[in-house]
Amino acid sequence: MTAHGLRTDQRTTFVGKSVAIIGTRGYPSFYGGFETLVRQLAPYLADQGWDVTVYGRDGSTKKDTPDHDPRVHAIVTRGVESKSLSTLSYGLTSSVHAARHRPDVALVMNVANGYWLPLLRARGIPTVVNVDGIEWERAKWGKQAKAVFRGGARLTAKFGDNLVYDSQEIARRWAAGFKRDGIFIPYGGTDPGPLEPVPELAGRPYALMVARFVPENTVVEFFDAAEHLSERWDIAIVGSSGYGGDLDDRVANLAARNERIHWFGHVSDDQRLFSLWQHSGAYFHGHSVGGTNPALVQAMACGAPIVARDTVFNREVLAGSAIFAQPHSADIAEKIDQLLANRSLQQELSTAARHRGETHYSWRNVCSTYETTLLDVTGTKSSVPRSNNNRE
């Protein structure tokens, strides 16, 4: 290992048209939305002749999977494994390494890494930054963490050469709050084709939730609804907090004492997860903050009949292809119960969601737009800030 925690046997030179991807857990990883994007984007860029390097964390990737493309170079750096410091610390060590080896462009995920953009700019490396959601409004973060994200956003607005917004509403918020424009690039979905149901739920109508266990994902309200719904229907729950805690304990207890509640934890097997969506009678999507949610787009591609929390973000993605519920357990239970009891409505919503996903959320279009954005910014390597567009 070097002083920066890098494995000395890893590749450290860039050749040709090169991009460094900073701010994810690595390649290939199955943790969240950024990682899903990288699993699609990195091989696509390699197909287009790019030299692709993805920075990540030790133990967060799985190379012995069909998703692994040997043309994509993975570099592991050292960081602090904690809820509040992981992104910042890994972002720093990744940015230091990239600054030393100077790729043609850096694709940076998450505004928390805005603190390291001046380092990349000082080395003449242009940046494209996916700003993600409005992190400083998430209930899971304390006051100090929210201030860190807000500070990172200000620096991203000042030093990011080009910004990517995964929803039109996020773009509007950044234009209003930081006077920055950018590129709208959502997430994509993969049609898996017909899949066998998971054995635990084969032949049984069920409601599904897939979410990280944080308050803004309406997890508590769904758990309350699930207790009522399980009197009549099976319930499948995918996800965890990632760090243990009260919500993990609660769902474990629910599953232990109620045979109709099935907790799968974090599912890294895409085909298993896709099958759960594909065969669900009702998928509840409770995310309330952020932009275009990757899990929602994938659920659409799988043809899941959707009940979604009524938010501007979810309505932007789903339009008329879902039922919307208020964030109260009674309304969630009522809407899911009505959908599970109506097979024709399930089929109608499944067809509508799949069609909207195919029309608006194609991975090929997503990856192509990312490549165009990367190419555009490599033509403007100047370190001189752009006027009228780089300050809050």
Side-chain angles (χ1 to χ4, degrees):
M1 303 287 282
T2 70
H4 294 293
L6 297 167
R7 292 177 177 166
T8 55
D9 60 340
Q10 289 177 310
R11 170 190 164 280
T12 56
T13 58
F14 297 102
V15 295
K17 188 169 56 174
S18 58
V19 58
I21 301 177
I22 296 169
T24 78
R25 289 178 175 251
Y27 174 84
S29 178
F30 298 82
Y31 181 76
F34 281 156
E35 288 73 24
T36 301
L37 169 63
V38 169
R39 293 205 314 272
Q40 297 288 332
L41 179 60
Y44 176 90
L45 292 175
D47 285 342
Q48 310 310 311
W50 287 80
D51 183 7
V52 184
T53 293
V54 181
Y55 289 93
R57 311 177 187 183
D58 199 16
S60 295
T61 62
K62 294 184 177 182
K63 292 187 178 181
D64 56 340
T65 73
D67 296 84
H68 180 250
D69 188 323
R71 298 172 301 171
V72 178
H73 309 285
I75 291 184
V76 173
T77 64
R78 184 175 295 170
V80 178
E81 286 290 350
S82 78
K83 181 178 177 181
S84 58
L85 293 176
S86 293
T87 299
L88 283 170
S89 59
Y90 282 104
L92 172 59
T93 54
S94 298
S95 297
V96 167
H97 185 270
R100 288 174 57 199
H101 297 282
R102 300 183 68 179
D104 292 325
V105 59
L107 174 58
V108 180
M109 307 296 196
N110 197 316
V111 296
N113 290 311
Y115 292 97
W116 321 129
L117 295 179
L119 172 63
L120 297 172
R121 173 170 286 194
R123 294 288 288 167
I125 304 168
T127 53
V128 174
V129 186
N130 182 318
V131 304
D132 200 20
I134 311 298
E135 286 289 334
W136 52 94
E137 292 184 359
R138 292 184 185 270
K140 71 174 182 177
W141 300 119
K143 184 176 180 180
Q144 185 175 6
K146 289 179 179 180
V148 169
F149 278 114
R150 183 76 180 182
R154 291 193 183 98
L155 290 168
T156 296
K158 182 175 182 180
F159 292 105
D161 291 299
N162 211 336
L163 307 187
V164 170
Y165 310 114
D166 63 34
S167 84
Q168 301 287 6
E169 177 62 16
I170 293 291
R172 186 194 67 77
R173 295 280 296 273
W174 272 73
F178 297 99
K179 306 299 185 290
R180 280 299 306 263
D181 58 7
I183 307 297
F184 166 59
I185 314 179
Y187 291 95
T190 301
D191 182 353
L195 298 171
E196 291 295 319
V198 298
E200 299 93 317
L201 294 163
R204 302 158 73 175
Y206 61 91
L208 170 68
M209 183 191 74
V210 178
R212 196 169 304 161
F213 291 176
V214 292
E216 60 263 24
N217 289 346
T218 328
V219 174
V220 172
E221 294 83 354
F222 181 82
F223 288 173
D224 292 340
E227 292 197 70
H228 173 71
L229 288 164
S230 65
E231 296 174 6
R232 187 178 180 189
W233 311 103
D234 279 79
I235 309 295
I237 298 172
V238 173
S240 69
S241 68
Y243 297 92
D246 292 342
L247 292 176
D248 297 74
D249 292 342
R250 181 180 176 189
V251 74
N253 290 331
L254 284 173
R257 59 185 173 81
N258 188 332
E259 64 180 10
R260 278 189 156 171
I261 296 180
H262 311 263
W263 181 34
F264 293 88
H266 175 72
V267 176
S268 61
D269 181 345
D270 277 352
Q271 297 305 299
R272 184 172 172 81
L273 181 56
F274 294 171
S275 174
L276 285 167
W277 269 315
Q278 189 175 89
H279 293 281
S280 65
Y283 165 58
F284 176 69
H285 185 80
H287 296 63
S288 63
V289 296
T292 298
N293 184 270
L296 178 56
V297 173
Q298 185 55 56
M300 294 165 71
C302 291
I306 298 169
V307 175
R309 177 168 170 167
D310 195 352
T311 70
V312 63
F313 303 112
N314 292 338
R315 282 193 177 271
E316 177 185 319
V317 175
L318 291 161
S321 64
I323 295 171
F324 294 94
Q326 297 304 309
H328 312 297
S329 60
D331 196 44
I332 293 167
E334 179 183 352
K335 299 290 175 57
I336 290 175
D337 183 67
Q338 290 174 353
L339 180 54
L340 286 171
N342 190 333
R343 293 296 299 273
S344 63
L345 181 58
Q346 290 173 35
Q347 186 58 52
E348 178 185 332
L349 292 179
S350 173
T351 300
R354 194 187 301 274
H355 176 72
R356 183 163 176 81
E358 291 172 351
T359 304
H360 293 85
Y361 300 99
S362 153
W363 271 125
R364 174 157 288 279
N365 289 341
V366 167
C367 293
S368 174
T369 308
Y370 264 104
E371 187 193 18
T372 298
T373 304
L374 293 171
L375 288 170
D376 286 347
V377 80
T378 57
T380 55
K381 291 190 177 184
S382 171
S383 61
V384 179
R386 291 169 293 173
S387 61
N388 301 322
N389 234 11
N390 65 324
R391 295 185 183 275
E392 184 179 4

